[in-house]
């Protein structure tokens, strides 16, 4: 190889290197293309919040039957677990001793009546003799005292008759309420002590209570809503309650608030309450577990967007909206529960703004984007349960009006 040929090769290599370097520099100065995103206008709904609670069903009336007289169980007149009506006979205690006591009391009454008749007769004769001055006034007053004494004796005897009749009636133990009876705790031949021996238990079934406890924060929210005229207090207003059983997917049981306690438990920071629920077929049983949602607000206007359109920035919730210049801007928003599969936005968003719902993870404030507009549609029925928040008092779900 000649010297001239070597120089030409070196020059060619330098030319290629400079060309490649120039191409690389040009690529570095060229801006990347704007990202593609999908945007939509929020749905608008009138929304009512529902707060979620866990509780159990309780019988409104719960009676533990104990005898009011002592004696031997003579008959049991019910089948364990059956439905009984108020006043229905359940047990018979041997009535013979009490029937004999009633007969004796009636005999004492008859004796007292005879004594009173005789005393009044003697008093009438004494009045005539006193008028003829045939007896002293002292003797006449003694006859009057005898009449008063025998009158009192008759009243006491009549009271004994009533007491003996009551005791005889108490030998038939009747259901104090209508409801479902438990099993018998005694059998025929057992001795029952009045006021001590438990015979059975009867609980009412229709209607039934759903009892639960609410956090103090919820109680404060309700009180402030009541003061503002947004939602009546459940102490005075039958606010609706919907209940879901352990094996159910929807809230099919409906009732209304009936009671809120007058104090907050200082140990748990909660307040007791219960709702009344119709139970005509007796399906709901005392002690049964349930999940309830209680009307938690008045009606308010809200916008709905997908959960994936919301970013969390420390304690803030942020969405990206597209301005007129085609650039994205972050917007802090106040979120609520889910409605129709979408997240409620209570504040921070205008109804006409275009919200980025796809492609949000690569965005930076002020970035230009290529937007594809799509209509936003509900993703679930209005009755679908929402996700419960970790802290109170935000509602656990809501429904559209």
């Amino acid at each position: 190889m000649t010297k001239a040929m070597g120089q030409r090769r070196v020059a060619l290599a330098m030319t290629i290197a400079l060309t490649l370097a120039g191409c690389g520099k040009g690529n570095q100065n060229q801006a990347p293309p704007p990202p593609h995103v999908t945007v939509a206008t929020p749905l608008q709904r009138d929304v009512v919040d529902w707060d979620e609670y866990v509780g159990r069903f309780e019988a409104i009336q719960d009676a533990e039957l104990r005898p009011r007289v002592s004696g031997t169980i003579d008959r049991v007149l019910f089948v364990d677990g059956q439905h009984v009506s108020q006043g229905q006979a359940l047990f018979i205690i041997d009535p013979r001793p009490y029937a004999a006591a009633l007969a004796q009391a009636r005999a004492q009454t008859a004796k007292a009546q005879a004594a009173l008749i005789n005393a009044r007769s003697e008093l009438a004769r004494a009045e005539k003799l006193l008028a003829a001055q045939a007896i002293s006034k002292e003797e006449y007053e003694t006859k009057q005292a005898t009449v008063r004494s025998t009158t009192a004796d008759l009243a006491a005897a009549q009271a004994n008759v009533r007491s003996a009749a009551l005791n005889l009636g108490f030998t038939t133990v009747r259901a104090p309420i209508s409801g479902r009876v438990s099993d018998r705790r005694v059998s025929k031949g057992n001795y029952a002590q009045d006021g001590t021996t438990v015979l059975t238990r009867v609980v009412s079934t229709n209607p039934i209570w759903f009892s639960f406890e609410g956090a103090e924060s919820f109680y404060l929210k309700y009180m402030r809503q009541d003061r503002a005229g947004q939602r009546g207090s459940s102490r005075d207003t039958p606010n609706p309650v919907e209940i879901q059983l352990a094996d159910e997917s929807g809230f099919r049981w409906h009732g209304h608030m009936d009671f809120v306690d007058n104090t907050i438990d200082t140990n748990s920071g909660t307040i007791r309450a219960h709702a009344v629920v119709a139970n005509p077929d007796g399906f709901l049983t005392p002690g049964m577990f349930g999940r309830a949602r209680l009307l938690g607000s008045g009606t308010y206007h809200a916008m709905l967007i997908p959960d994936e359109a919301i970013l969390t920035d420390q304690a803030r919730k942020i969405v990206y909206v597209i301005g007129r210049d085609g650039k994205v801007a972050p917007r802090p928003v106040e979120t609520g529960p889910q409605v129709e599969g979408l997240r409620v936005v209570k504040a921070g968003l205008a109804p006409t703004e275009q919200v980025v719902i796809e492609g949000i993870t690569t965005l930076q404030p002020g970035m230009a984007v290529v937007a594809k507009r799509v209509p936003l549609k509900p993703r679930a029925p209005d009755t679908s349960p929402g996700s419960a928040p970790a802290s109170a008092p935000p509602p656990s779900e809501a429904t559209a009006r």
Side-chain angles (χ1 to χ4, degrees):
M1 181 183 297
T2 63
K3 182 177 181 180
M5 291 177 64
Q7 290 176 345
R8 284 197 299 269
R9 288 185 177 182
V10 172
L12 179 60
M14 292 178 63
T15 301
I16 294 173
L18 290 173
T19 301
L20 292 174
C23 292
K25 184 176 181 181
N27 289 338
Q28 290 177 355
N29 292 334
Q30 184 179 356
H36 291 255
V37 296
T38 302
V39 298
T41 302
L43 290 181
Q44 299 183 55
R45 293 288 188 273
D46 288 329
V47 172
V48 173
D49 290 341
W50 295 82
D51 297 324
E52 189 172 296
Y53 299 91
V54 174
R56 292 189 180 275
F57 290 95
E58 291 183 5
I60 295 179
Q61 294 178 300
D62 187 340
E64 191 176 59
L65 267 66
R66 300 173 188 265
R68 300 181 70 172
V69 293
S70 299
T72 302
I73 300 296
D74 188 53
R75 281 181 289 168
V76 180
L77 305 176
F78 67 95
V79 177
D80 293 349
Q82 80 174 74
H83 189 277
V84 296
S85 301
Q86 183 177 1
Q88 179 177 335
L90 303 180
F91 294 91
I92 299 294
I93 296 173
D94 186 1
R96 291 173 298 176
Y98 297 97
L102 176 59
Q104 183 179 8
R106 285 173 174 166
Q108 292 293 332
T109 299
K111 180 179 178 181
Q113 285 177 333
L116 177 60
I117 291 172
N118 183 57
R120 285 174 176 171
S121 177
E122 289 185 0
L123 178 61
R125 288 194 300 270
E127 287 178 349
K128 295 178 181 179
L129 293 174
L130 179 64
Q133 296 184 349
I135 61 172
S136 65
K137 187 176 182 181
E138 181 181 1
E139 186 176 354
Y140 174 74
E141 290 176 348
T142 300
K143 299 295 184 183
Q144 286 181 318
T146 302
V147 169
R148 289 192 294 268
S149 177
T150 53
T151 300
D153 290 342
L154 177 60
Q158 290 172 337
N160 288 335
V161 170
R162 291 192 294 271
S163 177
L166 281 175
N167 288 337
L168 180 60
F170 291 153
T171 59
T172 300
V173 181
R174 301 181 182 275
I177 59 174
S178 296
R180 192 165 299 282
V181 68
S182 181
D183 60 336
R184 66 195 74 185
R185 310 294 170 81
V186 294
S187 300
K188 181 178 179 178
N190 292 148
Y191 185 83
Q193 181 68 39
D194 65 291
T196 302
T197 306
V198 177
L199 303 178
T200 189
R201 179 185 179 190
V202 182
V203 296
S204 62
T205 57
N206 183 41
I208 194 169
W209 279 340
F210 182 80
S211 298
F212 60 93
E213 295 184 358
E216 182 178 348
S217 54
F218 280 97
Y219 177 74
L220 289 172
K221 183 184 77 165
Y222 299 149
M223 293 299 292
R224 300 194 189 283
Q225 288 176 345
D226 182 54
R227 297 275 179 97
Q230 299 170 354
R231 170 194 179 275
S233 170
S234 292
R235 281 200 175 96
D236 312 308
T237 306
N239 289 315
V241 174
E242 299 178 351
I243 302 169
Q244 176 187 38
L245 301 184
D247 64 342
E248 294 177 341
S249 58
F251 293 81
R252 57 162 296 201
W253 303 94
H254 304 281
H256 63 270
M257 288 299 298
D258 181 63
F259 166 77
V260 177
D261 207 353
N262 57 359
T263 58
I264 294 175
D265 191 317
T266 55
N267 295 321
S268 63
T270 59
I271 188 167
R272 295 189 308 114
H274 65 239
V276 177
V277 183
N279 187 32
D281 59 356
F283 182 84
L284 300 175
T285 305
M288 188 179 288
F289 166 86
R291 187 164 66 98
R293 58 183 189 183
L294 165 66
L295 180 69
S297 74
T299 302
Y300 63 93
H301 193 69
M303 283 157 287
L304 311 181
I305 61 175
D307 269 332
E308 58 267 25
I310 303 172
L311 296 175
T312 301
D313 179 13
Q314 296 181 350
R316 299 188 306 167
K317 301 290 186 180
I318 294 175
V319 300
Y320 275 99
V321 298
I322 296 182
R324 294 181 179 178
D325 57 358
K327 296 181 180 180
V328 295
R331 188 66 52 80
V333 294
E334 178 187 350
T335 60
Q338 280 192 340
V339 172
E340 300 178 354
L342 301 172
R343 182 65 56 184
V344 167
V345 175
K346 295 184 175 181
L349 194 61
T352 57
E353 289 186 302
Q354 299 290 325
V355 180
V356 179
I357 61 174
E358 291 182 8
I360 191 172
T361 56
T362 61
L363 300 183
Q364 294 294 329
M367 179 181 291
V369 296
V370 177
K372 176 185 176 183
R373 291 178 173 81
V374 296
L376 196 57
K377 298 180 180 179
R379 296 183 174 180
D382 182 40
T383 55
S384 62
S387 59
S391 61
S396 60
E397 57 186 293
T399 54
R401 289 283 175 141

